[in-house]
Amino acid sequence: MDRNLLIGMTEEFVRRNMKGYDSGHDWWHIERVRRLALYINEKEAIGDPFLVEITALLHDTADSKFAGRNMQQGYSLIGDFMDSHEMSEIKDHVLNVIKNISFSNKNNSAMANDPLLWVIQDADRLDAIGAIGIARAFNYGGFRNNRIYNPDSTRPKGGHTRPMPGSASTISHFYEKLLLLKNLMNTDCGKRLAEERHEFLEIFLRQFYKEWEFGD
Ligand code: ADP
Ligand code: NI
């Protein structure tokens, strides 16, 4: 089958299976990750753009947070789709990347040497920082009914208050994850793109505390 046709069918499969995800994980997240991944792949001359595009499209389809199914069911869904659309040959590779992409799996080194993983992971991480990353974080926090900030669980540090880990506010998520991503980028291109987005997180936090502490 023609590759463009396969990409179109994969897009349709992803749209159908991501209904009910929060808007930080919707089709547009997939679209942004696809663009970033193709860009990084080209700049770094890493591999087959078709493989990159298919993996980017499918990377969140199995996410158990939203789909009302467990991860294994999600992986089977993707595997069955690939088998029935002439993609059995790349199925294992794509599924391995999808299983290892998550921030929470960052200690899993079994796949650390796969350039396809580097590209997709960098693209996914870039979409979690910068202005869009901030929008996604507060959207996700709202979806989970978390507070934007919890001043009760702060401690003084360097003249400012900062959230304690586990205080379940979206601001605390910055310290648990978002601010760490810049140093976890795999590719030079990803690192370069992360700089500006990371800086924007810091600018945002400075302004946030300035407004929060107004009058202090
Ligand atoms: P990963 O697949 O890398 O584990 P997640 O699916 O947990 O990432 O997160 C995806 C998006 O949701 C990111 O933009 C992330 O910052 C945001 N997010 C995840 N957990 C939280 C949280 N507790 N508060 C706010 N945003 C969150
Ligand atoms: Ni993602």
Side-chain angles (χ1 to χ4, degrees), residues 13-209:
F13 169 79
V14 170
R15 283 177 192 271
R16 204 169 53 235
N17 284 290
M18 292 185 76
K19 295 226 168 80
Y21 284 31
D22 79 309
S23 96
H25 278 90
D26 62 4
W27 167 254
W28 295 108
H29 165 64
I30 304 302
E31 183 68 53
R32 291 188 301 268
V33 170
R34 160 163 60 178
R35 277 197 211 177
L36 283 162
L38 286 170
Y39 179 87
I40 295 168
N41 184 57
E42 197 194 322
K43 289 282 171 210
E44 301 272 330
I46 284 186
D48 180 359
F50 175 72
L51 191 58
V52 169
E53 192 160 359
I54 292 291
T55 314
L57 284 170
L58 292 169
H59 86 272
D60 270 338
T61 310
D63 197 319
S64 58
K65 281 199 294 301
F66 308 101
R69 50 177 179 255
N70 64 40
M71 295 304 257
Q72 274 323 315
Q73 290 168 322
Y75 299 141
S76 304
L77 189 73
I78 295 172
D80 292 347
F81 168 77
M82 295 188 83
D83 280 336
S84 59
H85 291 79
E86 300 175 12
M87 292 189 276
S88 302
E89 221 170 277
I90 58 169
K91 179 178 79 172
D92 289 346
H93 192 183
V94 170
L95 278 174
N96 270 323
V97 168
I98 292 174
K99 288 175 189 171
N100 284 283
I101 194 177
S102 163
F103 173 79
S104 27
N105 279 347
K106 68 178 182 296
N107 295 323
N108 183 346
S109 55
M111 285 283 295
N113 287 323
D114 185 346
L116 180 62
L117 177 66
W118 303 341
V119 173
I120 306 294
Q121 202 170 46
D122 278 6
D124 200 32
R125 286 174 173 169
L126 284 166
D127 204 52
I129 55 179
I132 286 178
I134 294 171
R136 291 180 72 211
F138 284 100
N139 186 73
Y140 184 85
F143 176 77
R144 294 283 298 268
N145 221 6
N146 292 340
R147 296 186 178 184
I148 56 173
Y149 178 45
N150 188 357
D152 294 339
S153 61
T154 56
R155 63 196 150 130
K157 194 180 171 194
H160 282 281
T161 50
R162 293 291 181 269
M164 297 273 267
S167 62
S169 74
T170 299
I171 289 292
S172 69
H173 184 66
F174 280 63
Y175 297 89
E176 288 151 13
K177 174 172 168 182
L178 306 188
L179 291 165
L180 312 179
L181 293 177
K182 178 174 74 110
N183 291 331
L184 294 173
M185 301 305 288
N186 303 299
T187 65
D188 286 344
C189 179
K191 284 181 189 139
R192 204 166 57 241
L193 293 172
E195 290 292 333
E196 186 189 26
R197 292 174 190 229
H198 180 88
E199 215 170 286
F200 194 76
L201 296 180
E202 293 187 329
I203 293 168
F204 173 84
L205 285 172
R206 269 203 302 281
Q207 180 70 16
F208 187 94
Y209 293 124

